[in-house]
Amino acid sequence: VIAWVFDAERFGAPPEGVTLATELGPDVVFAVPDDPLPDPSALRSLEVVQVVSAGVDWIVDRLPPGVTLCDARGARDGAMAEWVLAAILADAKELARCVHAQDEHRFERFEPRDVAGGHVVILGHGSIGRACARVLELLGASVTGVARHARADARALDELGALLPRADVLVNLLPLTPATRGLVDAGVLAALPDGALYVSAGRGATTDTEALVTELRRGRLRAVLDVVEPEPLPGEHPLWDLSGLLLSPHVAGDTAAADRAALALAREQMRRHAAGEPLENVVSDGY
Amino acid sequence: VIAWVFDAERFGAPPEGVTLATELGPDVVFAVPDDPLPDPSALRSLEVVQVVSAGVDWIVDRLPPGVTLCDARGARDGAMAEWVLAAILADAKELARCVHAQDEHRFERFEPRDVAGGHVVILGHGSIGRACARVLELLGASVTGVARHARADARALDELGALLPRADVLVNLLPLTPATRGLVDAGVLAALPDGALYVSAGRGATTDTEALVTELRRGRLRAVLDVVEPEPLPGEHPLWDLSGLLLSPHVAGDTAAADRAALALAREQMRRHAAGEPLENVVSDGY
């Protein structure tokens, strides 16, 4: 039995050939193909879980033993890259300032910043980061990727500290794992130069929220965040009112095109499973 | 005598070798090189005016006869292209909505739009439009340029009407000339499909403001405008409070990098003039 896990509220009814089986938690629905009845016993024969998100942090610890977990890496790359570029460009052109000036009917000129000539460090440099880098380089910015291990297009994580002092923008696309929790801490933020921009779109818990609040309160950095810790952000949280901060409600990857690609991937995985072919995007093979 | 015309408030003191001569109008300073005294008589020997803006609509009718006018085309292309991309991406990711939700401490999810897969029509397709097109195509959007006359990468203006019904975004980068004044009128806007985005960053008077207000009031289109007519926009103008509209105060091209490039061009033109070499960017040779 192969299961898809998706947010029923967003995706609505499961696609053809897929029947809801049981709930794993809030907002999470197991959709088991070819099982006509919602039946928790289907879980007993569960072999594979295919999620429609790139990250698996929210489910990896909640699966029964022996179950293969597959992510939807790649499906949301385009949407994520668009959001990161929107964040960097909107910050440079001070569009949040424009919104507030418009609210007050003020036509007040200022000098927007250039993305060209700037240096962007992308932490968690994978396929999303590479899509961002292609556009940023076309715009005349330089990009340095940082990944766990050095690769042709990425430096190793232990070089991050040396790269930060000359970063105009730090983009955090890290997945949440025990190794990345709180990785962007007070030390990382302090190593950024005055006036740098911090963009976060992976998982909120990879950033030390308190350290970020401290830097933003000082007015030393700006930030555009699609992910925060905790989510949803409580109404009384200090982040809301910090100037130089723009918050987006964890939606960067949730476009129609990304959903279509993720569901197409899930359907293709079902077909592979039924045909006895090897699955793709295997995160954990259950052993 | 060669003169630079620039906004003294933004550029501050004239560069080395250039002395202020006289004022042509508000915010406009004639800087005449090698003339030690502010002396309006310098105008009598004026041969060339080099502006540091791409457009010349604001000065072309105010020059003494026989004066050669040169624009700064190219110098602000990168800044303009960044702004147009910021406008399109920020609209797709609904960043203005995020600003307002943040003001009210609301963490409220929504589905951002995709730029990928969309179709962008660029009206006034020159070097800025081409810079935008390269990035938009890399993001998976398709682009059609429209210019006065058909070229390899642009359709002719008389094809615009046929292109609009399938445009997700219309970008207006037209210069202001007698032929382009009010070119984006009620008919052009009506030809856009429901939910299309209108981006304007050339000159405000190329858009029929009243027609745009009507479409925005209906909620049929969205818009991001760096230029409006009139500027500065009066405090009581209906544009301010229209939902689906983001206003920026005519700053798209005014970044530090664009200013550096425009001043470098002006210096190079001075050198050419002094050496008896032909000038570049000649808009009108004074005859």
Side-chain angles (χ1 to χ4, degrees), chain A residues 30-119:
Chain A
F30 258 76
V32 181
D34 306 320
D35 180 347
L37 288 173
D39 180 6
S41 70
L43 283 176
R44 268 184 262 137
S45 57
L46 185 66
E47 296 160 89
V48 178
V49 163
Q50 171 69 54
V51 299
V52 290
S53 59
V56 294
D57 52 279
W58 52 282
I59 196 171
V60 68
D61 295 332
R62 295 151 71 195
L63 290 178
V67 170
T68 297
L69 177 61
C70 301
D71 66 22
R73 83 186 66 142
R76 301 185 186 280
D77 285 4
M80 293 293 297
E82 286 185 13
W83 188 90
V84 169
L85 294 163
I88 294 172
L89 285 161
D91 171 78
K93 308 312 167 187
E94 302 202 43
L95 295 185
R97 171 189 184 147
C98 291
V99 171
H100 285 136
Q102 185 176 346
D103 286 345
E104 298 167 13
H105 295 205
R106 283 189 286 108
F107 191 92
E108 213 173 77
R109 300 186 71 178
F110 59 86
E111 188 174 285
R113 285 180 286 273
D114 294 288
V115 171
H119 183 62

Side-chain angles (χ1 to χ4, degrees), chain B residues 117-150:
Chain B
H119 183 61
V120 181
V121 172
I122 301 181
L123 180 59
H125 195 58
S127 50
I128 300 168
R130 283 191 288 273
C132 292
R134 281 190 290 272
V135 170
L136 290 167
E137 286 167 357
L138 194 52
L139 292 175
S142 61
V143 177
T144 305
V146 176
R148 201 157 25 158
H149 305 293

Side-chain angles (χ1 to χ4, degrees), chain B residues 2 4 17-18 33 265-275:
Chain B
I2 181 170
W4 297 9
V18 175
L265 166 70
R267 271 191 291 267
E268 175 62 9
Q269 295 276 75
M270 273 174 61
R271 189 201 59 72
R272 286 190 190 108
H273 187 67

Side-chain angles (χ1 to χ4, degrees), chain B residues 1-7 11 18 28-33 46-56 58-59 63 67-76 261-273 279-284:
Chain B
V1 170
I2 181 170
W4 297 9
V5 179
F6 62 92
D7 177 340
F11 288 93
V18 175
V28 174
V29 178
F30 258 76
V32 181
L46 186 65
E47 297 160 88
V48 178
V49 163
Q50 171 69 52
V51 300
V52 290
S53 59
V56 293
W58 52 281
I59 196 170
L63 290 178
V67 169
T68 297
L69 177 62
C70 301
D71 65 22
R73 81 187 69 141
R76 302 186 186 281
L263 292 176
L265 166 70
R267 271 191 291 267
E268 175 62 9
Q269 295 276 75
M270 273 174 61
R271 189 201 59 72
R272 286 190 190 108
H273 187 67
L279 294 171
E280 298 198 346
N281 293 11
V282 174
V283 178
S284 133

Side-chain angles (χ1 to χ4, degrees), chain A residues 207-257:
Chain A
T207 302
D208 178 340
T209 304
E210 211 172 306
L212 181 61
V213 166
T214 302
E215 288 285 6
L216 291 171
R217 272 214 182 109
R218 277 187 204 146
R220 212 182 67 76
L221 304 178
R222 299 182 312 286
V224 186
L225 311 175
D226 186 54
V227 294
V228 289
E229 174 67 24
E231 281 176 19
L233 197 66
E236 70 284 359
H237 198 280
L239 275 177
W240 289 114
D241 291 319
L242 291 169
S243 66
L245 171 68
L246 174 55
L247 288 173
S248 164
H250 200 153
V251 293
D254 293 344
T255 69

Side-chain angles (χ1 to χ4, degrees), chain B residues 52-126:
Chain B
V52 290
S53 59
V56 293
D57 53 279
W58 52 281
I59 196 170
V60 69
D61 296 332
R62 295 152 70 194
L63 290 178
V67 169
T68 297
L69 177 62
C70 301
D71 65 22
R73 81 187 69 141
R76 302 186 186 281
D77 285 4
M80 293 293 298
E82 286 185 11
W83 188 90
V84 170
L85 294 164
I88 294 172
L89 284 162
D91 172 77
K93 308 311 168 188
E94 302 202 44
L95 296 186
R97 170 189 184 146
C98 291
V99 171
H100 285 137
Q102 185 177 346
D103 286 346
E104 298 167 14
H105 295 203
R106 282 188 286 108
F107 192 92
E108 213 172 77
R109 301 187 71 179
F110 58 86
E111 187 175 284
R113 284 180 287 273
D114 295 287
V115 172
H119 183 61
V120 181
V121 172
I122 301 181
L123 180 59
H125 195 58

